Amino acid sequence: MVKIKIRNSIFSRLVITFLIIIIPLYGLGIYIYNSGLRTIKSEISKSTIAQASFYLESLEKEIERIKILQYDCLNDEQLNKLAIRWEIMNEYEISQTLLQLKQRLVAIKNSSIYVNDVKVHILPINKTVSSNNGVDDIHIDEYNDIFVPTGLKGAQIINYNGQLYLSTFQKYSGSTKPLFTIDIELNQDALKHALAQFNTYTGSGSILITRTNIITSKSKEDNSQFIQSILLSMNEQEKDGTILTNIGNEKYYVVHTNSPYLNMTLLRYFPQEFILKPIVNFKIWHGYFQLRPY
């Protein structure tokens, strides 16, 4: 009996000693795992937000530069000559002036990959001049309907028939309607291509949201429900940041950054599993641990 008690006593002490040693180590391992997970998520979030912010800032500068060219065109001598003095010009002069105007519009278009077409609608001569299609009868619907809504600030990007435009006009004293309007159609394919460069992970994507339009780096038709799930999870976030959300059966990180000047929000999303890859070895060591958002 005595020997059994002694053995039990020794075994108990060994167990207690083992627990005293292993529990702190075990707790330290969990702490290191959690700390590493938080650090990696934080660094990836900061890096992704920085990339998104840099893209939006670059886009802001490019749109601002395009608008400067647009406003400069308002004072174009040939354009104002056509709108004001056309009655005293012969057909040859009008034809040559229209050709020179088209060349200027082509130069504006070629100045940026984000410009798809530049059009001038000249009401007095009932003509529309396009950088893509040359001279045509005035596109009266575009002349009447493409305008900047009252109170719209910043870059004043307009949605018309699913396309994005920058629009300005020139008025003349005594006229209730503009002499001419200048409409620059933005190239949404170029925007999609730029967004696609952010898709560095399998299953990742990017979405650019304007006031009235959604531009995605992937096929909107194939991913419409997926995109709507992401938008519903955002709850109109005002500040740049990152959220973790469930979409279907998977968890996704969604990075969002805003541009007040463009009235746009850029969203980047990627599966949670890519955040966790750098610490997969820790996950093996702590296989019992259930991952959850922090």
Side-chain angles (χ1 to χ4, degrees):
M1 281 298 283
V2 174
K3 287 183 178 180
I4 294 175
K5 288 183 179 180
I6 292 174
R7 287 177 182 174
N8 288 339
S9 176
I10 294 173
F11 179 76
S12 298
R13 290 177 183 178
L14 287 174
V15 170
I16 292 172
T17 302
F18 175 79
L19 292 176
I20 290 173
I21 295 173
I22 201 65
I23 288 176
L25 292 176
Y26 200 63
L28 179 61
I30 294 175
Y31 172 78
I32 292 174
Y33 179 87
N34 291 339
S35 178
L37 179 60
R38 285 192 296 267
T39 300
I40 289 173
K41 287 195 292 186
S42 175
E43 290 303 315
I44 291 179
S45 175
K46 289 178 183 178
S47 173
T48 308
I49 290 174
Q51 291 173 359
S53 297
F54 177 77
Y55 171 72
L56 280 183
E57 289 172 6
S58 300
L59 185 59
E60 285 178 357
K61 292 177 182 178
E62 185 65 9
I63 295 298
E64 188 173 8
R65 188 185 67 81
I66 293 171
K67 286 179 69 70
I68 289 173
L69 294 176
Q70 183 184 40
Y71 289 139
D72 187 54
C73 192
L74 278 177
N75 299 315
D76 182 82
E77 181 180 352
Q78 304 303 323
L79 176 55
N80 282 275
K81 182 179 177 181
L82 277 172
I84 298 172
R85 300 175 55 194
W86 66 276
E87 290 181 311
I88 61 174
M89 298 171 64
N90 59 44
E91 290 185 7
Y92 176 79
E93 287 178 315
I94 292 176
S95 176
Q96 290 300 303
T97 305
L98 286 170
L99 179 61
Q100 292 174 17
L101 175 60
K102 183 197 172 184
Q103 290 173 344
R104 174 155 193 175
L105 300 186
V106 170
I108 294 175
K109 179 197 172 181
N110 292 337
S111 70
S112 174
I113 62 171
Y114 292 115
V115 176
N116 190 52
D117 194 9
V118 186
K119 294 180 182 179
V120 177
H121 309 290
I122 311 171
L123 185 63
I125 61 173
N126 291 313
K127 294 294 182 183
T128 289
V129 185
S130 165
S131 61
N132 290 346
N133 303 313
V135 181
D136 195 3
D137 292 335
I138 190 168
H139 301 175
I140 196 66
D141 289 340
E142 294 179 2
Y143 170 85
N144 288 327
D145 297 339
I146 299 179
F147 59 90
V148 178
T150 303
L152 183 61
K153 305 295 183 182
Q156 299 179 329
I157 298 174
I158 307 159
N159 184 301
Y160 177 74
N161 287 342
Q163 302 299 322
L164 300 178
Y165 288 88
L166 300 171
S167 182
T168 189
F169 60 86
Q170 181 73 284
K171 276 196 171 183
Y172 185 64
S173 59
S175 174
T176 58
K177 289 189 174 184
L179 280 174
F180 57 84
T181 63
I182 304 174
D183 300 328
I184 296 180
E185 179 188 340
L186 299 181
N187 189 339
Q188 294 194 58
D189 288 336
L191 291 171
K192 291 177 182 179
H193 179 72
L195 292 177
Q197 297 180 16
F198 287 127
N199 300 346
T200 52
Y201 303 119
T202 302
S204 64
S206 305
I207 306 170
L208 189 62
I209 305 172
T210 71
R211 294 174 58 254
T212 54
N213 203 8
I214 296 176
I215 301 171
T216 173
S217 60
K218 297 184 177 181
S219 171
K220 191 185 300 184
E221 289 76 15
D222 295 339
N223 296 277
S224 57
Q225 292 183 347
F226 184 83
I227 292 172
Q228 289 302 318
S229 297
I230 291 178
L231 298 180
L232 289 173
S233 69
M234 294 308 300
N235 294 324
E236 298 184 355
Q237 299 284 338
E238 294 183 359
K239 296 183 179 179
D240 298 350
T242 306
I243 65 169
L244 177 64
T245 182
N246 289 313
I247 301 176
N249 297 323
E250 293 188 55
K251 290 183 179 293
Y252 281 82
Y253 280 96
V254 181
V255 173
H256 53 93
T257 184
N258 301 282
S259 169
Y261 174 72
L262 297 173
N263 286 307
M264 290 182 176
T265 298
L266 176 58
L267 306 180
R268 295 183 59 190
Y269 60 88
F270 39 90
Q272 184 193 39
E273 61 183 277
F274 292 101
I275 293 282
L276 307 179
K277 275 189 175 181
I279 51 173
V280 65
N281 289 334
F282 287 105
K283 183 179 178 181
I284 294 172
W285 294 346
H286 300 278
Y288 75 98
F289 188 70
Q290 297 296 319
L291 291 177
R292 57 185 181 276
Y294 292 90

